[in-house]
Amino acid sequence: MVTLLAFLFIGCDLTGTPSRASNVLIDAQTPIITNQPQSATYDHYETPDNPLSVTASVSNGTLYYQWYKTSENGDTNETIAGETGSTFSPPTNVVGEFYYYVVVTNKNYGVSGNKEANATSNVAKITINNLTNAQTPIITNQPQSATYDHYETPVTPLSVTVEPLNDDGALYYQWFYSDAETNTSGTPITSSTIDPTFSPPTNETGYFYYYVVVTNKNFSVSGNKEANATSSVATITIDELIHAQDPNITAHPQSVTYTQGQTATLSVTATSPDSGTLSYQWYSNTSNSNSGGTQIPNATDASYTTPNDLSVDNHYYYVIVTNTKDVSGNKEANATSEVAKITIDELTHAATPVIDDQPQSASYNHNATSVTPLSITIEALTDGGTLSYQWYKTSENGDTNETIVGETDPTFSPPTNEVGDFYYYVVVTNTNNSVNGNQEANATSNVAKITIECLVSFYDANLDFNASISVQANSTINIASLKTELGLDATALYLASDRIVNDPSYQVTQSVNFYAVANVQEIRTEAELNNTRNDLSGKYILLNNIELTSDTLGADDGAGWNPIGDSSNAFKGIFNGNEYAIRNLWIDRPSINYVGLFGYIYGGAKIRNLSVDIDSSKGGVIGQTYVDGIAGRVGSSSITDSYSTGNVSGTSNVGGISGNAAYSSSITNSYSTGDVSGTGNYVGGIAGYVYNSTIIDNAAINKEVNGSSYVNRIVGSIGGGSVQNNFALDTMKANW
């Protein structure tokens, strides 16, 4: 690059004519590189054929050179000391990639400007590779030792398998024979050097040792052109002819006596002296001899089970044991066992039981508690056996049979909890372990038909029991005649369901209860239940479950259900729940007495078959005194076959069924669940306080009963009367 500096001077001569003069600086010429240094690849320690070189020229001046070592990205540059010519031989003593360039400088001290100018060459990449030797063969399958008989042919050739090469070399094989078990200093065997197999000769007996050297020849690599791998030694044993040896029988089949119909298992124990394979063939014979017998098909194991249909006689068996050995001579040798005599005796069986008295058919009422057991009588055994019994339930045509678990006595009491016709029989078994034949013999009784008839019960206008009749299932009864016969003066009979029977006849499919109630009021809805407070002496029957959905039904005060009846206007009627439930009951009246579905029932009131489900999630039933789920207080009245669930709480006289029962009242066959709690006295799982009343056959299944004093899981306190046959959970807590 030439830099010109010009200075312009302008002036005037004496004549006034302008004149111009100039002075220009001239720099040294930049070298022009015409041949760049070239990248190349060499082996480790290889002398480069052509050094790196550069060709540059200038028209004037003298050229100088300096070589540099740089990095791939040019961020480091190192001057190579002493390398100041136009060529440079890169070193090859280190493996890797190296980068070089040269700076050419023109020095011209005859110019007026810069005396030096530089030009930098391209970078040349020099790659130094490791030396590559021929790949050493890898033997994956070695030649295997083997044993052959003298002059045996053919033999399995010795062979070697080599992993495929990755360097384009060629494999060569040289087999050697050695006098000792070593893979060095052997004698080469003249054969093709491209064959990886060799068939050893068998014309001499003894031990012979062979191995092979596998060579990879690759003349294209930079290092060693050949690489060897030597196999392990294979020992070839050439034996004289050997014969299979006779087997040794160490335990012969044994004679035995069995009864007819049984089987005998005969066995033999033998060994092979030469570790051959033993096989067996059993024979039967008509005489006591171990020759001339008949071969038994498929009897080829060390043991043999005789048939179970042999006649009562003597039978003879023996076995021939064969030792098979894959030897050079005779490959089989035999040994014959001694004879086993099988004696078959006649069988004696357990005696079959003889039934003298069969179970008898009978009819009973539904849920009858007194039944005559089915029974069977067996004639006394004469063979010393033991009798056992098993009762079964069957169908009318006998196509199904069900074992009745636990019924193993000569008698069986049939259940009466279902109506219909049921069929039973018993199997009697004689067990006699002393006989040699069948040790059990059975006898099956006749089938007894047990008819369970429907129990039809009638209750009078006060829901008290009147009478009952028994009829077969699916029978038709005359309703009109029965009403007259039983003196039931009512316009309708109510089943213990939602059906009103006005028909002259009725088909009975199961036990039913009829209620003869005159002027009965039917309750099907929440509103109809609420209206009972308008006629506290009425007779009511519940004909379906009722879900209490209105929080303020009975009183518009947001405190839940308003109890039916109180001390001024008690409920004195009859309420038949008909086995239905009133659900979601909740009451929040902590300052009110007489709290429950009914606040106070009195004067002969009756509550029957009623279920009350309390909604404990809304606090349950809360009152002050006389608090319960069904009736807060019971006076001269009764609660029967009813229950309440959920939590009840108050101050005193708090119970699960009634807070207080007095004046010849009764609570019978009822139960309560949930927690019962009071802050004062008289708290019980069934009733808080009982006065001259009866509490019989009830259950308290409450989790906890809490109060201040007079607290009990059944009745908090009793001031006269009777508390009998009641039940409370052992885990239930009574706290005060």
Side-chain angles (χ1 to χ4, degrees), residues 279-283 294-305 317-320:
S279 59
Y280 309 86
Q281 179 58 60
W282 289 86
Y283 293 81
T294 301
Q295 189 179 92
I296 302 174
N298 301 317
T300 55
D301 293 325
S303 62
Y304 168 67
T305 301
Y317 296 91
Y318 63 91
V319 61
I320 295 178

Side-chain angles (χ1 to χ4, degrees), residues 319-382:
V319 61
I320 295 178
V321 183
T322 299
N323 177 34
T324 301
K325 177 74 173 178
D326 189 13
V327 292
S328 54
N330 296 329
K331 301 183 185 301
E332 291 186 357
N334 299 324
T336 303
S337 75
E338 298 173 356
V339 175
K341 182 174 74 171
I342 304 300
T343 302
I344 305 299
D345 291 339
E346 289 194 45
L347 291 175
T348 301
H349 302 293
T352 301
V354 176
I355 300 175
D356 287 338
D357 296 313
Q358 299 283 349
Q360 301 299 308
S361 300
S363 296
Y364 299 101
N365 289 332
H366 188 201
N367 291 322
T369 57
S370 177
V371 298
T372 300
L374 295 172
S375 64
I376 189 170
T377 304
I378 306 298
E379 187 177 290
L381 296 173
T382 59

Side-chain angles (χ1 to χ4, degrees), residues 10 20 37 62 89 127 155 162 322 478-479 516 554 563 572 595 639 665-666 674 719 730:
I10 301 176
R20 177 169 301 188
T62 301
S89 292
T127 301
V155 297
V162 180
T322 299
N478 190 303
I479 296 294
K572 299 180 180 180
V595 174
I639 298 175
S665 295
S666 66
D730 289 340

Side-chain angles (χ1 to χ4, degrees), residues 45-303:
Y45 290 110
E46 179 182 354
T47 301
D49 294 332
N50 296 300
L52 294 174
S53 65
V54 67
T55 303
S57 62
V58 292
S59 57
N60 290 298
T62 301
L63 295 177
Y64 296 87
Y65 305 87
Q66 178 59 59
W67 289 87
Y68 293 87
K69 182 179 180 181
T70 185
S71 58
E72 183 177 8
N73 56 13
D75 57 354
T76 62
N77 295 278
E78 174 188 348
T79 301
I80 304 175
E83 295 299 333
T84 57
S86 61
T87 63
F88 163 59
S89 292
T92 61
N93 60 322
V94 178
V95 175
E97 295 177 346
F98 305 93
Y99 302 89
Y100 301 96
Y101 67 91
V102 63
V103 175
V104 183
T105 302
N106 178 23
K107 296 182 179 181
N108 189 345
Y109 297 102
V111 295
S112 57
N114 294 322
K115 311 296 186 196
E116 293 183 6
N118 298 327
T120 302
S121 74
N122 295 342
V123 174
K125 175 182 177 183
I126 301 300
T127 301
I128 308 302
N129 292 329
N130 271 322
L131 287 176
T132 302
N133 298 320
Q135 179 184 348
T136 300
I138 298 175
I139 298 176
T140 55
N141 289 305
Q142 300 284 349
Q144 300 299 305
S145 298
T147 299
Y148 300 103
D149 293 324
H150 196 194
Y151 290 109
E152 179 180 349
T153 59
V155 297
T156 301
L158 295 172
S159 64
V160 68
T161 304
V162 180
E163 192 174 279
L165 297 174
N166 298 319
D167 67 347
D168 298 327
L171 293 176
Y172 296 85
Y173 305 86
Q174 178 59 61
W175 289 89
F176 290 84
Y177 163 76
S178 179
D179 292 329
E181 193 175 356
T182 178
N183 62 356
T184 61
S185 303
T187 301
I189 300 172
T190 302
S191 63
S192 173
T193 58
I194 61 172
D195 191 354
T197 65
F198 165 65
S199 295
T202 61
N203 58 328
E204 294 183 28
T205 61
Y207 298 97
F208 303 91
Y209 307 98
Y210 300 95
Y211 65 92
V212 63
V213 175
V214 184
T215 301
N216 174 25
K217 295 182 179 182
N218 188 345
F219 298 102
S220 66
V221 297
S222 58
N224 296 327
K225 313 295 183 185
E226 292 187 5
N228 298 325
T230 302
S231 75
S232 59
V233 175
T235 301
I236 301 300
T237 304
I238 308 300
D239 292 334
E240 295 287 352
L241 289 177
I242 298 175
H243 301 293
Q245 299 183 33
D246 292 342
N248 295 324
I249 296 179
T250 58
H252 292 267
Q254 300 298 302
S255 298
V256 68
T257 298
Y258 281 96
T259 54
Q260 193 174 19
Q262 293 182 313
T263 60
T265 299
L266 303 173
S267 64
V268 66
T269 303
T271 60
S272 170
D274 56 3
S275 300
T277 301
L278 297 179
S279 59
Y280 309 86
Q281 179 58 60
W282 289 86
Y283 293 81
S284 64
N285 210 345
T286 56
S287 63
N288 191 359
S289 172
N290 64 353
S291 65
T294 301
Q295 189 179 92
I296 302 174
N298 301 317
T300 55
D301 293 325
S303 62

Side-chain angles (χ1 to χ4, degrees), residues 503-532:
D503 300 331
S505 62
Y506 176 76
Q507 186 177 27
V508 179
T509 59
Q510 60 182 350
S511 294
V512 293
N513 295 331
F514 287 100
Y515 298 93
V517 182
N519 301 318
V520 69
Q521 299 182 52
E522 301 169 358
I523 299 177
R524 292 184 175 84
T525 67
E526 189 174 9
E528 289 173 345
L529 175 64
N530 188 48
N531 287 337
T532 59

